[in-house]
C-alpha cells in the first residue's frame, strides 16, 4: 500500500484541530451547510450524451446531468488553460487578472483577488485540491495558490510527469512521444495514469471528510481529454474508425481573417504528427489521421467519464449525495478539425463553449431516500446505450465567470458584490452574473427571459495574437509579444469578433485600431463558417463593447 499523501497527512492535522475546537460532529440536519464537489475537466467540449451527441459514451456524466441544472450555452472567457482557470476561479475577466499567457501570478501582477476556494475556506470550509485545478507554474505561484486557497497542500498525481514522455508504443515497437497514445496501463511508468490517481486521492479525501464537523470544498481537476491522448487502449474499441466521421466543416473558411486562425503548433511537436510532414500553418491533416484524432479524443472522454463515475458513486457509498453540491465544467472546448483547426486558441464556439451543470440536493433533484443510489457507477462498455433523461436545462447564455457567485449562493454564503470599474483594488467582488434565479424551479416556459440589462444575455470571450497572420507563437503568445486582441461577444443571434491593436505594457486595447472582424449568424450559420463582417457595416462596434 502506498504511503499517505501530504494532503491526507495535513488533512488529519486540520480535522484534528477543527474537532478539538468544535467538539464532536452533530447529526446532520437541514440547516447544515452543503459540501461542494467541483469537477474541472481540461479541454472538454460539450461532446457528451447529455448535450445530444449520439456517438459519445458518457453515461456517468449524463447521469449527473439528469439530476442537475444543465446549461446549454456556457462559455469560457479565454480558450487556453491558465487564463481561463484564473478567470473563473477569481470571478474576474482576463483583462482584470491581466493574465493572457502562463507567465504571471495575478496577486502580484494585477491585484490580490480572492478565489472561490479561498472564499469557502474563509467561511469555515475545509478546502482541498486534487489534480489540475489551477494551472501549475507561475500562474498559480508554483503552489496552486497555496496557502490562500487551500486548507491542505494540493495533490498532483505522481504519474503526471510522464504525460509528454516517450510512453506510446508505435507500430515499429518503439516508444514515442506521440499525440495518439492508447496504452496498456500495466506497462506505463508506475502502472497507472494521472486521472486514475486523482480519483483515488479524491475518494480517500471524501472518506476522511465523511466524519468531519466542517463542510468541505473539494476541487478535482482531470487531465483528459487534453493532449497527448494517452488513455487505456480498451476505450478505443468504443469508437471503431468506420463510425468516426470527419468534422462537418474541415476546411479553413474562405472569409476567415488570417489573425483569427490558430496553427495548432503543439500538435505539430508530437512525433506521429511530425511524421506526416504537414505544411505550416494550414496543413491539412490527412483524412485517415483526422479520424484517428477524433477517435482518440472520444475515447479519452469515455475514459474520463469512468473516473467521474467512480468519484460520484463514492458520494452514494459515503451517504454524501444528499449534502453535497456537484458542479462540473471545463476550462474551454477544443476543435476537432472544425475550420481546419485542431486545438483551442480561438474565439469560435467550438473552443469557447463548455459543459456546465450543477447538482443541488433537493433543488435540482429530490433528496435521495435512505438506501437509494443517486449516482451508481455506469460502465460505458455495457450494451445498454440509452442516455439518461436530462434534468432541467436552460438555454441562457452564461459565462464561466458565474461559477463564483453561483456556487457561493447555492451553498448559502453571501454572494460577493458586483465589481466596480476598475476593481483592481477590491479583493472580493465578482464580474460574473449570479445564476441563482435559474435554480428556482420554474421552467423557461413559465419564466421568460426578462432582463433589465441586455449584457446579461451576452457571453464575452477574448484571445491574443502576436501578429495579423499565423506564426509559430500565434497559439500561445507571451504577454510582451501580444500585438492584437480579439474581443468576441456571443448573443443568441450572432457571434461578433473584432481584432484590435493591443498595448501589452499598458494592458490597453485600441478599439479605433481595428485589424479585422468576424460576424456569424447563429440561425443561418451555426458552425460559424461564413464571415459576413465585410458585408455588414464593418467598423461600427455594437454597444455591448462600449465601457
Amino acid at each position: 500500500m502506498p504511503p499517505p499523501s501530504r494532503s491526507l497527512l495535513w488533512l488529519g492535522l486540520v480535522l484534528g484541530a477543527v474537532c478539538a475546537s468544535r467538539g464532536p460532529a452533530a447529526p446532520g440536519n437541514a440547516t447544515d451547510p452543503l459540501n461542494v464537489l467541483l469537477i474541472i475537466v481540461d479541454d472538454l467540449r460539450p461532446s457528451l450524451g447529455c448535450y445530444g451527441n449520439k456517438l459519445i459514451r458518457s453515461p456517468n456524466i449524463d447521469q449527473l446531468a439528469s439530476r442537475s441544472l444543465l446549461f446549454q450555452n456556457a462559455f469560457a472567457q479565454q480558450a487556453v488553460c491558465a487564463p481561463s482557470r484564473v478567470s473563473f476561479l477569481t470571478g474576474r475577466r482576463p483583462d482584470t487578472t491581466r493574465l493572457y499567457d502562463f507567465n504571471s501570478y495575478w496577486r502580484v501582477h494585477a491585484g490580490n483577488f480572492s478565489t472561490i476556494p479561498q472564499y469557502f475556506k474563509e467561511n469555515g470550509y475545509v478546502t482541498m485540491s486534487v489534480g489540475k485545478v489551477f494551472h501549475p507554474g507561475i500562474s498559480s505561484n508554483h503552489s496552486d495558490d497555496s496557502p490562500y486557497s487551500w486548507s491542505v497542500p494540493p495533490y498532483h498525481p505522481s504519474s503526471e510527469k510522464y504525460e509528454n514522455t516517450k510512453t506510446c508504443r508505435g507500430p515499429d515497437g518503439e516508444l514515442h512521444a506521440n499525440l495518439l497514445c492508447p496504452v496498456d496501463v500495466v506497462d506505463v511508468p508506475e502502472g497507472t495514469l494521472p486521472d486514475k490517481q486523482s480519483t483515488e486521492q479524491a475518494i480517500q479525501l471524501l472518506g476522511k471528510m465523511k466524519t468531519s464537523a466542517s463542510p468541505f470544498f473539494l476541487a478535482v481537476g482531470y487531465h483528459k481529454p487534453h493532449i497527448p491522448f494517452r488513455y487505456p487502449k480498451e476505450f478505443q474499441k468504443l469508437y471503431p474508425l468506420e463510425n468516426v466521421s470527419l468534422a462537418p466543416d474541415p476546411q479553413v473558411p474562405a472569409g476567415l481573417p488570417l489573425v483569427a486562425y490558430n496553427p495548432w503548433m503543439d500538435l505539430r511537436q508530437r512525433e506521429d504528427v511530425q511524421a506526416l510532414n504537414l505544411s505550416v500553418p494550414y496543413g491539412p491533416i490527412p483524412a485517415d489521421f483526422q479520424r484517428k484524432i477524433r477517435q482518440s479524443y472520444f475515447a479519452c472522454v469515455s475514459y474520463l467519464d469512468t473516473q467521474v463515475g467512480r468519484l460520484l458513486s463514492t458520494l452514494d457509498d459515503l451517504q454524501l449525495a444528499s449534502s453535497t453540491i456537484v458542479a462540473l465544467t471545463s476550462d474551454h472546448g477544443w476543435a476537432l478539425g472544425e475550420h481546419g483547426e485542431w486545438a483551442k486558441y480561438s474565439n469560435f464556439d467550438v473552443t469557447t463553449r463548455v459543459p456546465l451543470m450543477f447538482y443541488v440536493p433537493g433543488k435540482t433533484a429530490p433528496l435521495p431516500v435512505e438506501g437509494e443510489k443517486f449516482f451508481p457507477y455506469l460502465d460505458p462498455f455495457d450494451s445498454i446505450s440509452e442516455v439518461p433523461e436530462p434534468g432541467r436545462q436552460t438555454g441562457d447564455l452564461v459565462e464561466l465567470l458565474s461559477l463564483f457567485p453561483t456556487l457561493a449562493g447555492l451553498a448559502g454564503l453571501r454572494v460577493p458584490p458586483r465589481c466596480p470599474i476598475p476593481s483592481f483594488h477590491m479583493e472580493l467582488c465578482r464580474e460574473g452574473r449570479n445564476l441563482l434565479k435559474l435554480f428556482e424551479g420554474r421552467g423557461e416556459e413559465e419564466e421568460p427571459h426578462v432582463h433589465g440589462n441586455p449584457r446579461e444575455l451576452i457571453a464575452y470571450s477574448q484571445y491574443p495574437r502576436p501578429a495579423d497572420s499565423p506564426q509559430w507563437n500565434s497559439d500561445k503568445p507571451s504577454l510582451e509579444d501580444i500585438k492584437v486582441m480579439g474581443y468576441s461577444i456571443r448573443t443568441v443571434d450572432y457571434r461578433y469578433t473584432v481584432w484590435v491593436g493591443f498595448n501589452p505594457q499598458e494592458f490597453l486595447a485600441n478599439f479605433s485600431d481595428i485589424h479585422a472582424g468576424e460576424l456569424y449568424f447563429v440561425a443561418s450559420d451555426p458552425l460559424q463558417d461564413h464571415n459576413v463582417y465585410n458585408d455588414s457595416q464593418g467598423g461600427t462596434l455594437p454597444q455591448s463593447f462600449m465601457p
Side-chain angles (χ1 to χ4, degrees), residues 119 123 404-405 408-409 411-417 428:
Y119 188 57
N123 280 276
F404 196 154
L413 305 182
R414 180 179 69 87
V415 174
L428 180 64

Side-chain angles (χ1 to χ4, degrees), residues 416-438:
R418 283 270 196 178
C419 291
I421 301 176
S423 65
F424 299 106
H425 62 289
M426 286 195 66
E427 293 187 12
L428 180 64
C429 67
R430 42 95 183 186
E431 295 181 347
R433 172 184 163 208
N434 180 4
L435 305 179
L436 281 182
K437 288 185 178 179
L438 296 172

Side-chain angles (χ1 to χ4, degrees), residues 168-250:
C168 315
R169 186 77 60 185
D172 59 1
E174 300 298 319
L175 294 176
H176 298 275
N178 284 345
L179 171 67
L180 310 181
C181 192
V183 298
D184 189 333
V185 175
V186 298
D187 290 338
V188 299
E190 300 188 29
T192 188
L193 294 172
D195 287 345
K196 286 178 171 286
Q197 287 186 287
S198 290
T199 300
E200 291 159 4
Q201 174 73 7
I203 288 172
Q204 290 186 63
L205 291 172
L206 288 172
K208 291 284 187 181
M209 293 306 301
K210 165 66 177 171
T211 56
S212 169
S214 297
F216 65 80
F217 179 103
L218 172 60
V220 180
Y222 286 115
H223 283 263
K224 295 303 133 194
H226 192 286
I227 62 170
F229 299 131
R230 185 166 171 262
Y231 60 94
K233 63 183 181 181
E234 59 267 25
F235 286 89
Q236 202 173 52
K237 299 174 184 176
L238 292 171
Y239 304 98
L241 276 176
E242 59 268 24
N243 295 344
V244 178
S245 62
L246 301 181
D249 53 347

Side-chain angles (χ1 to χ4, degrees), residues 367-401:
L367 289 171
V369 299
E370 187 174 352
E372 180 184 6
K373 294 288 187 182
F374 244 37
F375 300 114
Y377 176 80
L378 301 176
D379 190 339
F381 291 93
D382 284 351
S383 57
I384 299 174
S385 58
E386 290 185 10
V387 175
E389 284 296 318
R392 289 187 53 229
Q393 302 183 46
T394 176
D396 253 28
L397 283 161
V398 301
E399 302 175 298
L400 283 188
L401 287 175

Side-chain angles (χ1 to χ4, degrees), residues 248-309:
D249 53 347
Q251 306 299 322
V252 179
L256 185 70
L258 294 178
V259 70
Y261 183 79
N262 79 76
W264 32 279
M265 297 302 293
D266 45 3
L267 255 73
R268 299 173 189 273
Q269 298 169 15
R270 312 291 165 168
E271 290 183 33
D272 50 352
V273 177
Q274 288 178 350
L276 299 174
N277 294 315
L278 304 174
S279 63
V280 179
Y282 299 108
I285 293 176
D288 60 339
F289 201 85
Q290 290 189 38
R291 285 189 172 87
K292 290 178 181 178
I293 294 176
R294 290 168 66 86
Q295 176 194 48
S296 280
Y297 182 94
F298 300 152
C300 283
V301 172
S302 291
Y303 161 55
L304 158 78
D305 182 78
T306 63
Q307 300 310 303
V308 173

Side-chain angles (χ1 to χ4, degrees), residues 73-233:
N73 290 297
F75 293 90
Q77 278 48 77
Q78 188 176 328
V80 70
C81 301
S84 177
R85 290 165 186 264
V86 169
S87 174
F88 68 71
L89 288 167
T90 62
R92 316 281 185 121
R93 300 187 185 280
D95 277 345
T96 303
T97 66
R98 292 179 167 175
L99 182 68
Y100 315 105
D101 59 10
F102 297 79
N103 304 322
S104 64
Y105 180 41
W106 78 92
R107 293 187 189 272
V108 173
H109 194 64
N112 191 30
F113 309 143
S114 297
T115 69
I116 300 175
Q118 177 184 352
Y119 188 57
F120 276 81
K121 180 182 175 185
E122 291 168 350
N123 280 276
Y125 279 68
V126 175
T127 59
M128 301 164 287
S129 172
V130 171
K132 186 177 178 182
V133 178
F134 283 100
H135 194 282
I138 300 173
S139 63
S140 59
N141 202 33
H142 298 285
S143 67
D144 297 274
D145 194 46
S146 291
Y148 293 100
S149 289
W150 309 110
S151 304
V152 298
Y155 170 86
H156 286 278
S158 59
S159 63
E160 186 178 285
K161 59 181 173 287
Y162 304 110
E163 278 293 281
N164 294 300
T165 60
K166 294 178 182 288
T167 56
C168 315
R169 186 77 60 185
D172 59 1
E174 300 298 319
L175 294 176
H176 298 275
N178 284 345
L179 171 67
L180 310 181
C181 192
V183 298
D184 189 333
V185 175
V186 298
D187 290 338
V188 299
E190 300 188 29
T192 188
L193 294 172
D195 287 345
K196 286 178 171 286
Q197 287 186 287
S198 290
T199 300
E200 291 159 4
Q201 174 73 7
I203 288 172
Q204 290 186 63
L205 291 172
L206 288 172
K208 291 284 187 181
M209 293 306 301
K210 165 66 177 171
T211 56
S212 169
S214 297
F216 65 80
F217 179 103
L218 172 60
V220 180
Y222 286 115
H223 283 263
K224 295 303 133 194
H226 192 286
I227 62 170
F229 299 131
R230 185 166 171 262
Y231 60 94
K233 63 183 181 181

Side-chain angles (χ1 to χ4, degrees), residues 421-483:
I421 301 176
S423 65
F424 299 106
H425 62 289
M426 286 195 66
E427 293 187 12
L428 180 64
C429 67
R430 42 95 183 186
E431 295 181 347
R433 172 184 163 208
N434 180 4
L435 305 179
L436 281 182
K437 288 185 178 179
L438 296 172
F439 290 82
E440 291 177 355
R442 295 192 296 274
E444 292 182 82
E445 295 79 9
E446 293 81 26
E447 188 180 14
H449 301 302
V450 179
H451 301 278
N453 184 347
R455 292 187 180 194
E456 290 189 340
L457 285 177
I458 290 174
Y460 295 82
S461 303
Q462 62 188 100
Y463 209 85
R465 295 283 190 238
D468 286 324
S469 57
Q471 58 185 49
W472 69 272
N473 63 339
S474 287
D475 294 344
K476 294 181 284 189
S478 297
L479 173 63
E480 64 269 19
D481 296 325
I482 297 172
K483 301 295 189 295

